[in-house]
Amino acid sequence: MSGEGTTSRARLDRGRGALGPALELVHTGRAPTRAVLTAELGVTRATAGAVAAELEALGLIRVDARPGAAAGSQGRPSHRLALAEDGPVVLAAQVHADGFRAALVGLGGRIVATAPGCEAVDADPAKVLGSVVEAGAGLLRETGRHCVGAGLAVPSAVAEPEGLALNPLHLAWPAGAPVRRIFTECVRAAGLTVPAFAGNDVNLAALAEHRHGAGRGARDLLCVATGHRGVGGALVLDGRLHTGSSGLALEVGHLTVNPEGRPCHCGGRGCLDVEADPFAFLAAAGRDPGPEVSLLQQSNDLIRDHYDDPSVRGAAETLVDRLGLGLAGLVNILNPDRIILGGLHRALLDADPDRLRAVVADRSLWGQSGGVPILACTLDHNSLVGAAELAWQPVLDDPLAALS
């Protein structure tokens, strides 16, 4: 082979190896132009151009060759890169204590379409997952979009490698339900020959927020959230979700924050799981939970509309103190560079940010060195978007192989 041919082959191989990293840079908004892509990948401009062209040919991105120079800029403007609005999608599903939802999600975490959510969850996981997958398959039929994967978020620790939901207590599902296998079977039954994945809802919320929301740019990100029942946590280390040796890391709900508190389903007492979730908030505020809307919505409505009520404010302060105690312990152990809070915890942070930050600072070593930023999650349906991230990962790893 001639020297020129060898050089061309080497450039081609380099370009193919850069397809996945390049797509992830555009997917997470870190490469808005070809010039930035060139710098981030550490390749020549010609290689970056070939990579962008290949991703465009795959229907994943769009390259704008005439973006127009910004006012006051000099030189030729770089081509702008954007995700293809009509590109492929993944089927994302979420199940929680108060229902389930299905959606189609494109690259960039963009929700393309959603199906009406169900407000009742059957005790048979196969029945529930069959319904949510059929709802997603219906969206695919309606939109005519090409599906490349499916992802599921569940409110339970998911043990690896089997994909077992070890503690779906708030769903009344059997402990150890093989949710990944059931979900995969339901996807196949719906006529979709795509890879299927399942994970813990807070883990997936953290993944979505790290790539597209309040956690973007953090190296070591701690996420703590309470949605409908219980409290979950997740950790992103060096840009990757930390799940531990078998998928069970960061079960923060069973940190003790009130030794004389409520009995917990784990056998302990005063765990964060039962001391800082919506049910605990409503109880502390002296409100009887109603059946009309979810516990989370009832709690958020109380904080938004009645925070001046002494009973509501007192309940919020009680939960903030308990949450702050738990966060301080996690900060001492994990030393994250950012904390993000979701669900009711986001509402508590918004209501009294100074109190929560003061509790964490007073109780943690990092408080003596300036404190750790505590921010609210910013994505709507972040667990659903995180489920989509699971399904997009094979495409991000190797676009050519995943789409061939």
PDB file of all heavy atoms in Angstrom, residues 23-47:
ATOM      1  N   LEU A  23     -20.021  12.147  19.064  1.00  0.00           N
ATOM      2  CA  LEU A  23     -21.466  12.183  19.250  1.00  0.00           C
ATOM      3  C   LEU A  23     -21.817  12.554  20.695  1.00  0.00           C
ATOM      4  O   LEU A  23     -22.747  13.331  20.938  1.00  0.00           O
ATOM      5  CB  LEU A  23     -22.081  10.830  18.893  1.00  0.00           C
ATOM      6  CG  LEU A  23     -23.611  10.751  19.006  1.00  0.00           C
ATOM      7  CD1 LEU A  23     -24.281  11.776  18.101  1.00  0.00           C
ATOM      8  CD2 LEU A  23     -24.105   9.341  18.698  1.00  0.00           C
ATOM      9  N   GLU A  24     -21.071  12.014  21.651  1.00  0.00           N
ATOM     10  CA  GLU A  24     -21.344  12.367  23.054  1.00  0.00           C
ATOM     11  C   GLU A  24     -21.103  13.847  23.313  1.00  0.00           C
ATOM     12  O   GLU A  24     -21.844  14.478  24.063  1.00  0.00           O
ATOM     13  CB  GLU A  24     -20.484  11.519  23.995  1.00  0.00           C
ATOM     14  CG  GLU A  24     -20.793  11.781  25.457  1.00  0.00           C
ATOM     15  CD  GLU A  24     -20.213  10.736  26.393  1.00  0.00           C
ATOM     16  OE1 GLU A  24     -19.882   9.629  25.935  1.00  0.00           O
ATOM     17  OE2 GLU A  24     -20.104  11.045  27.592  1.00  0.00           O
ATOM     18  N   LEU A  25     -20.097  14.431  22.688  1.00  0.00           N
ATOM     19  CA  LEU A  25     -19.845  15.857  22.859  1.00  0.00           C
ATOM     20  C   LEU A  25     -20.996  16.699  22.330  1.00  0.00           C
ATOM     21  O   LEU A  25     -21.398  17.687  22.948  1.00  0.00           O
ATOM     22  CB  LEU A  25     -18.541  16.242  22.153  1.00  0.00           C
ATOM     23  CG  LEU A  25     -17.243  15.786  22.833  1.00  0.00           C
ATOM     24  CD1 LEU A  25     -16.064  15.930  21.878  1.00  0.00           C
ATOM     25  CD2 LEU A  25     -17.013  16.580  24.112  1.00  0.00           C
ATOM     26  N   VAL A  26     -21.549  16.324  21.195  1.00  0.00           N
ATOM     27  CA  VAL A  26     -22.692  17.058  20.650  1.00  0.00           C
ATOM     28  C   VAL A  26     -23.944  16.765  21.479  1.00  0.00           C
ATOM     29  O   VAL A  26     -24.736  17.664  21.781  1.00  0.00           O
ATOM     30  CB  VAL A  26     -22.915  16.702  19.169  1.00  0.00           C
ATOM     31  CG1 VAL A  26     -24.080  17.513  18.597  1.00  0.00           C
ATOM     32  CG2 VAL A  26     -21.648  16.963  18.352  1.00  0.00           C
ATOM     33  N   HIS A  27     -24.114  15.530  21.863  1.00  0.00           N
ATOM     34  CA  HIS A  27     -25.257  15.082  22.662  1.00  0.00           C
ATOM     35  C   HIS A  27     -25.365  15.853  23.970  1.00  0.00           C
ATOM     36  O   HIS A  27     -26.462  16.193  24.427  1.00  0.00           O
ATOM     37  CB  HIS A  27     -25.082  13.582  22.930  1.00  0.00           C
ATOM     38  CG  HIS A  27     -26.032  12.960  23.886  1.00  0.00           C
ATOM     39  ND1 HIS A  27     -27.391  12.921  23.685  1.00  0.00           N
ATOM     40  CD2 HIS A  27     -25.811  12.313  25.076  1.00  0.00           C
ATOM     41  CE1 HIS A  27     -27.967  12.287  24.695  1.00  0.00           C
ATOM     42  NE2 HIS A  27     -27.034  11.918  25.548  1.00  0.00           N
ATOM     43  N   THR A  28     -24.231  16.136  24.604  1.00  0.00           N
ATOM     44  CA  THR A  28     -24.235  16.831  25.902  1.00  0.00           C
ATOM     45  C   THR A  28     -24.034  18.336  25.758  1.00  0.00           C
ATOM     46  O   THR A  28     -23.878  19.034  26.765  1.00  0.00           O
ATOM     47  CB  THR A  28     -23.136  16.257  26.811  1.00  0.00           C
ATOM     48  OG1 THR A  28     -21.864  16.328  26.139  1.00  0.00           O
ATOM     49  CG2 THR A  28     -23.433  14.808  27.164  1.00  0.00           C
ATOM     50  N   GLY A  29     -24.021  18.845  24.538  1.00  0.00           N
ATOM     51  CA  GLY A  29     -23.927  20.283  24.330  1.00  0.00           C
ATOM     52  C   GLY A  29     -22.535  20.847  24.481  1.00  0.00           C
ATOM     53  O   GLY A  29     -22.361  22.073  24.530  1.00  0.00           O
ATOM     54  N   ARG A  30     -21.510  19.989  24.530  1.00  0.00           N
ATOM     55  CA  ARG A  30     -20.145  20.476  24.753  1.00  0.00           C
ATOM     56  C   ARG A  30     -19.391  20.768  23.464  1.00  0.00           C
ATOM     57  O   ARG A  30     -18.265  21.259  23.525  1.00  0.00           O
ATOM     58  CB  ARG A  30     -19.370  19.466  25.595  1.00  0.00           C
ATOM     59  CG  ARG A  30     -19.850  19.365  27.036  1.00  0.00           C
ATOM     60  CD  ARG A  30     -19.073  18.308  27.800  1.00  0.00           C
ATOM     61  NE  ARG A  30     -19.414  16.973  27.349  1.00  0.00           N
ATOM     62  CZ  ARG A  30     -18.607  15.916  27.459  1.00  0.00           C
ATOM     63  NH1 ARG A  30     -17.395  16.059  27.970  1.00  0.00           N
ATOM     64  NH2 ARG A  30     -19.008  14.730  27.050  1.00  0.00           N
ATOM     65  N   ALA A  31     -20.000  20.486  22.324  1.00  0.00           N
ATOM     66  CA  ALA A  31     -19.344  20.775  21.041  1.00  0.00           C
ATOM     67  C   ALA A  31     -20.359  21.409  20.096  1.00  0.00           C
ATOM     68  O   ALA A  31     -20.896  20.747  19.209  1.00  0.00           O
ATOM     69  CB  ALA A  31     -18.755  19.505  20.426  1.00  0.00           C
ATOM     70  N   PRO A  32     -20.621  22.703  20.271  1.00  0.00           N
ATOM     71  CA  PRO A  32     -21.605  23.360  19.400  1.00  0.00           C
ATOM     72  C   PRO A  32     -21.078  23.684  18.011  1.00  0.00           C
ATOM     73  O   PRO A  32     -21.860  23.994  17.117  1.00  0.00           O
ATOM     74  CB  PRO A  32     -21.929  24.652  20.170  1.00  0.00           C
ATOM     75  CG  PRO A  32     -20.679  24.934  20.958  1.00  0.00           C
ATOM     76  CD  PRO A  32     -20.119  23.591  21.328  1.00  0.00           C
ATOM     77  N   THR A  33     -19.756  23.643  17.833  1.00  0.00           N
ATOM     78  CA  THR A  33     -19.176  23.927  16.517  1.00  0.00           C
ATOM     79  C   THR A  33     -18.117  22.890  16.180  1.00  0.00           C
ATOM     80  O   THR A  33     -17.611  22.179  17.049  1.00  0.00           O
ATOM     81  CB  THR A  33     -18.515  25.317  16.491  1.00  0.00           C
ATOM     82  OG1 THR A  33     -17.353  25.310  17.332  1.00  0.00           O
ATOM     83  CG2 THR A  33     -19.474  26.404  16.947  1.00  0.00           C
ATOM     84  N   ARG A  34     -17.758  22.861  14.894  1.00  0.00           N
ATOM     85  CA  ARG A  34     -16.741  21.909  14.458  1.00  0.00           C
ATOM     86  C   ARG A  34     -15.375  22.276  15.033  1.00  0.00           C
ATOM     87  O   ARG A  34     -14.540  21.393  15.301  1.00  0.00           O
ATOM     88  CB  ARG A  34     -16.694  21.859  12.934  1.00  0.00           C
ATOM     89  CG  ARG A  34     -16.029  20.595  12.398  1.00  0.00           C
ATOM     90  CD  ARG A  34     -16.196  20.472  10.909  1.00  0.00           C
ATOM     91  NE  ARG A  34     -15.425  21.492  10.186  1.00  0.00           N
ATOM     92  CZ  ARG A  34     -15.436  21.609   8.856  1.00  0.00           C
ATOM     93  NH1 ARG A  34     -16.181  20.791   8.133  1.00  0.00           N
ATOM     94  NH2 ARG A  34     -14.724  22.550   8.258  1.00  0.00           N
ATOM     95  N   ALA A  35     -15.136  23.558  15.264  1.00  0.00           N
ATOM     96  CA  ALA A  35     -13.860  23.976  15.849  1.00  0.00           C
ATOM     97  C   ALA A  35     -13.724  23.455  17.273  1.00  0.00           C
ATOM     98  O   ALA A  35     -12.658  22.968  17.678  1.00  0.00           O
ATOM     99  CB  ALA A  35     -13.746  25.499  15.832  1.00  0.00           C
ATOM    100  N   VAL A  36     -14.794  23.548  18.040  1.00  0.00           N
ATOM    101  CA  VAL A  36     -14.760  23.020  19.402  1.00  0.00           C
ATOM    102  C   VAL A  36     -14.600  21.507  19.371  1.00  0.00           C
ATOM    103  O   VAL A  36     -13.846  20.924  20.159  1.00  0.00           O
ATOM    104  CB  VAL A  36     -16.033  23.418  20.177  1.00  0.00           C
ATOM    105  CG1 VAL A  36     -16.053  22.768  21.560  1.00  0.00           C
ATOM    106  CG2 VAL A  36     -16.137  24.935  20.294  1.00  0.00           C
ATOM    107  N   LEU A  37     -15.288  20.847  18.441  1.00  0.00           N
ATOM    108  CA  LEU A  37     -15.167  19.400  18.310  1.00  0.00           C
ATOM    109  C   LEU A  37     -13.719  19.007  18.006  1.00  0.00           C
ATOM    110  O   LEU A  37     -13.190  18.056  18.591  1.00  0.00           O
ATOM    111  CB  LEU A  37     -16.091  18.904  17.193  1.00  0.00           C
ATOM    112  CG  LEU A  37     -16.150  17.394  16.987  1.00  0.00           C
ATOM    113  CD1 LEU A  37     -16.834  16.721  18.166  1.00  0.00           C
ATOM    114  CD2 LEU A  37     -16.882  17.047  15.687  1.00  0.00           C
ATOM    115  N   THR A  38     -13.080  19.740  17.123  1.00  0.00           N
ATOM    116  CA  THR A  38     -11.684  19.460  16.780  1.00  0.00           C
ATOM    117  C   THR A  38     -10.798  19.546  18.015  1.00  0.00           C
ATOM    118  O   THR A  38      -9.965  18.663  18.275  1.00  0.00           O
ATOM    119  CB  THR A  38     -11.193  20.467  15.714  1.00  0.00           C
ATOM    120  OG1 THR A  38     -12.025  20.368  14.561  1.00  0.00           O
ATOM    121  CG2 THR A  38      -9.759  20.193  15.327  1.00  0.00           C
ATOM    122  N   ALA A  39     -11.005  20.613  18.803  1.00  0.00           N
ATOM    123  CA  ALA A  39     -10.175  20.810  19.997  1.00  0.00           C
ATOM    124  C   ALA A  39     -10.452  19.747  21.055  1.00  0.00           C
ATOM    125  O   ALA A  39      -9.515  19.219  21.677  1.00  0.00           O
ATOM    126  CB  ALA A  39     -10.433  22.201  20.569  1.00  0.00           C
ATOM    127  N   GLU A  40     -11.707  19.418  21.263  1.00  0.00           N
ATOM    128  CA  GLU A  40     -12.066  18.452  22.296  1.00  0.00           C
ATOM    129  C   GLU A  40     -11.565  17.046  21.957  1.00  0.00           C
ATOM    130  O   GLU A  40     -11.145  16.297  22.835  1.00  0.00           O
ATOM    131  CB  GLU A  40     -13.577  18.435  22.510  1.00  0.00           C
ATOM    132  CG  GLU A  40     -14.145  19.673  23.177  1.00  0.00           C
ATOM    133  CD  GLU A  40     -13.790  19.745  24.644  1.00  0.00           C
ATOM    134  OE1 GLU A  40     -13.539  18.687  25.257  1.00  0.00           O
ATOM    135  OE2 GLU A  40     -13.765  20.866  25.197  1.00  0.00           O
ATOM    136  N   LEU A  41     -11.623  16.691  20.679  1.00  0.00           N
ATOM    137  CA  LEU A  41     -11.178  15.356  20.271  1.00  0.00           C
ATOM    138  C   LEU A  41      -9.672  15.271  20.138  1.00  0.00           C
ATOM    139  O   LEU A  41      -9.105  14.166  20.174  1.00  0.00           O
ATOM    140  CB  LEU A  41     -11.829  14.975  18.932  1.00  0.00           C
ATOM    141  CG  LEU A  41     -13.337  14.735  18.924  1.00  0.00           C
ATOM    142  CD1 LEU A  41     -13.805  14.449  17.495  1.00  0.00           C
ATOM    143  CD2 LEU A  41     -13.726  13.595  19.849  1.00  0.00           C
ATOM    144  N   GLY A  42      -9.018  16.402  19.955  1.00  0.00           N
ATOM    145  CA  GLY A  42      -7.581  16.386  19.761  1.00  0.00           C
ATOM    146  C   GLY A  42      -7.168  15.806  18.430  1.00  0.00           C
ATOM    147  O   GLY A  42      -6.158  15.093  18.331  1.00  0.00           O
ATOM    148  N   VAL A  43      -7.958  16.078  17.385  1.00  0.00           N
ATOM    149  CA  VAL A  43      -7.667  15.565  16.047  1.00  0.00           C
ATOM    150  C   VAL A  43      -7.481  16.747  15.097  1.00  0.00           C
ATOM    151  O   VAL A  43      -7.650  17.904  15.476  1.00  0.00           O
ATOM    152  CB  VAL A  43      -8.814  14.659  15.541  1.00  0.00           C
ATOM    153  CG1 VAL A  43      -8.975  13.447  16.440  1.00  0.00           C
ATOM    154  CG2 VAL A  43     -10.135  15.438  15.461  1.00  0.00           C
ATOM    155  N   THR A  44      -7.129  16.448  13.867  1.00  0.00           N
ATOM    156  CA  THR A  44      -6.991  17.506  12.871  1.00  0.00           C
ATOM    157  C   THR A  44      -8.370  18.003  12.445  1.00  0.00           C
ATOM    158  O   THR A  44      -9.393  17.340  12.648  1.00  0.00           O
ATOM    159  CB  THR A  44      -6.251  16.999  11.634  1.00  0.00           C
ATOM    160  OG1 THR A  44      -7.055  15.997  10.983  1.00  0.00           O
ATOM    161  CG2 THR A  44      -4.898  16.404  12.005  1.00  0.00           C
ATOM    162  N   ARG A  45      -8.374  19.190  11.824  1.00  0.00           N
ATOM    163  CA  ARG A  45      -9.635  19.739  11.346  1.00  0.00           C
ATOM    164  C   ARG A  45     -10.258  18.845  10.288  1.00  0.00           C
ATOM    165  O   ARG A  45     -11.473  18.675  10.223  1.00  0.00           O
ATOM    166  CB  ARG A  45      -9.390  21.142  10.776  1.00  0.00           C
ATOM    167  CG  ARG A  45     -10.627  22.017  10.817  1.00  0.00           C
ATOM    168  CD  ARG A  45     -10.275  23.455  10.564  1.00  0.00           C
ATOM    169  NE  ARG A  45     -10.265  23.727   9.113  1.00  0.00           N
ATOM    170  CZ  ARG A  45     -10.035  24.919   8.603  1.00  0.00           C
ATOM    171  NH1 ARG A  45      -9.721  25.934   9.397  1.00  0.00           N
ATOM    172  NH2 ARG A  45     -10.068  25.120   7.301  1.00  0.00           N
ATOM    173  N   ALA A  46      -9.399  18.235   9.457  1.00  0.00           N
ATOM    174  CA  ALA A  46      -9.914  17.338   8.414  1.00  0.00           C
ATOM    175  C   ALA A  46     -10.588  16.116   9.022  1.00  0.00           C
ATOM    176  O   ALA A  46     -11.656  15.680   8.567  1.00  0.00           O
ATOM    177  CB  ALA A  46      -8.769  16.915   7.491  1.00  0.00           C
ATOM    178  N   THR A  47      -9.972  15.549  10.057  1.00  0.00           N
ATOM    179  CA  THR A  47     -10.572  14.381  10.718  1.00  0.00           C
ATOM    180  C   THR A  47     -11.881  14.757  11.386  1.00  0.00           C
ATOM    181  O   THR A  47     -12.880  14.034  11.290  1.00  0.00           O
ATOM    182  CB  THR A  47      -9.593  13.787  11.746  1.00  0.00           C
ATOM    183  OG1 THR A  47      -8.425  13.322  11.071  1.00  0.00           O
ATOM    184  CG2 THR A  47     -10.229  12.627  12.496  1.00  0.00           C
TER     185      THR A  47
END
